[in-house]
Amino acid sequence: MKTSFEGFSPVRRDRMVQEERHDAYQAKHKLAEPTVCPDCGAVFHEGRWQWLVKPAGAHQERCPACSRIHDQYPAGYLTVSGEFFSQHRDELLHLLRNEAERAKAEHPLKRIMQIEDEKDGVLVTTTDIHLARGLGEALHHAYQGTLEYHYNERENLLRVVWER
Ligand SMILES: [Zn+2]
């Protein structure tokens, strides 16, 4: 592991936590059902956020993903860099966007927030740590390279570093 982030500890990929942990962006109270997010239109139904037709008379409350977007507070960070990335930038970004679209279609709370240019690559921020991880895995699966995870357990944040 050559990268380090304050507040984050390197974690082996096969040890990465699978379970859902406490998340500051989960509602503090039990949400009434149905509740609709006014920003994205996702519907809270049967205990989870889903893409459904907006039910009549639904309560309104911003979903955790839109709250993170509103606060500009990502849960996942994916750093993508390296010579190979520079040479195949469009192709790799296309793969990431496709992967994110697929995840979002299934899980309204899994979204890319931003793709920002950095010195020698890009930083992709996500509303969900599992998406950041899934994007890193997708790059690794398609193009090998090196993949690192750094986890902040206290705040349940994940930094994924992919390089090739
Ligand atoms: Zn929303």
Side-chain angles (χ1 to χ4, degrees), residues 5-115:
F5 300 100
E6 197 178 340
F8 289 76
S9 308
V11 51
R12 276 174 48 179
R13 282 173 52 210
D14 58 354
R15 294 278 171 80
M16 185 53 213
V17 282
Q18 300 285 339
E19 79 272 24
E20 293 294 332
R21 299 229 175 188
H22 168 73
D23 186 321
Y25 278 77
Q26 295 298 339
K28 307 265 184 302
H29 55 274
K30 197 170 167 0
L31 279 177
E33 296 199 15
T35 290
V36 172
C37 173
D39 294 3
C40 70
V43 178
F44 189 78
H45 177 64
E46 291 181 341
R48 63 195 182 90
W49 290 93
Q50 309 177 46
W51 298 120
L52 299 172
V53 176
K54 184 182 172 182
H59 302 263
Q60 292 229 340
E61 187 165 322
R62 199 176 261 154
C63 75
C66 290
S67 298
R68 284 192 180 274
I69 291 165
H70 179 260
D71 296 348
Q72 299 182 4
Y73 190 72
Y77 300 79
L78 167 66
T79 306
V80 181
S81 64
E83 188 80 5
F84 180 86
F85 169 71
S86 305
Q87 289 162 0
H88 301 84
R89 181 189 166 93
D90 289 350
E91 185 185 334
L92 269 62
L93 289 179
H94 184 71
L95 177 135
L96 290 175
R97 289 204 179 92
N98 269 356
E99 191 66 24
E101 278 307 310
R102 207 177 52 76
K104 180 184 169 183
E106 255 177 72
H107 305 283
L109 304 188
K110 293 186 178 179
R111 293 180 221 165
I112 284 181
M113 290 173 64
Q114 276 192 302
I115 299 179

Side-chain angles (χ1 to χ4, degrees), residues 126-160:
T126 64
T127 56
D128 177 282
I129 67 171
H130 301 285
L131 178 57
R133 181 179 165 204
L135 295 175
E137 293 286 348
L139 285 175
H140 190 252
H141 182 75
Y143 304 107
Q144 296 74 53
T146 60
L147 183 62
E148 295 177 4
Y149 293 147
H150 302 257
Y151 184 55
N152 178 325
E153 188 168 353
R154 195 166 56 84
E155 296 180 70
N156 193 32
L157 307 175
L158 182 68
R159 285 186 177 270
V160 178

